[in-house]
Amino acid sequence: MVKGEVKKIDEPAGKITMKHGPIKNLDMDEDGMTMVFRVQDPAMLKQVKVGDKVQFQAERATAGITVTKIEKQK
């Protein structure tokens, strides 16, 4: 799981923008990157809001890098 912060949510497009740490499984070692991700399930976007600290998993998919799991940090 990667730690991140939600910066923007685009429900109609099924996308989320997050500032995040390194994503080891995607060979992204940079810290403090901000990226737009697709979400595997649009319902995930209803679980979070801008400013939330989250943990997430992302994988490469045919449509681009996709968030497959997201949860708020407590």
Side-chain angles (χ1 to χ4, degrees):
M1 298 287 273
V2 180
K3 290 184 179 180
E5 181 182 345
V6 179
K7 293 294 187 184
K8 182 180 172 190
I9 295 172
D10 184 348
E11 274 194 63
K15 294 181 180 177
I16 187 167
T17 304
M18 289 189 280
K19 182 175 180 183
H20 61 83
I23 306 176
K24 299 292 185 200
N25 65 316
L26 299 177
D27 297 322
M28 293 182 186
D29 296 327
E30 301 87 12
D31 198 12
M33 273 182 75
T34 301
M35 281 179 58
V36 177
F37 298 90
R38 294 182 182 281
V39 289
Q40 189 174 45
D41 178 359
M44 291 183 194
L45 299 177
K46 296 188 185 316
Q47 301 170 12
V48 295
K49 63 184 187 306
V50 173
D52 280 351
K53 303 278 190 212
V54 297
Q55 286 191 308
F56 67 97
Q57 285 180 324
E59 295 175 11
R60 287 191 200 281
T62 52
I65 297 175
T66 302
V67 173
T68 55
K69 184 176 180 182
I70 190 165
E71 54 193 41
K72 275 193 217 184
Q73 286 187 300
K74 296 189 173 36

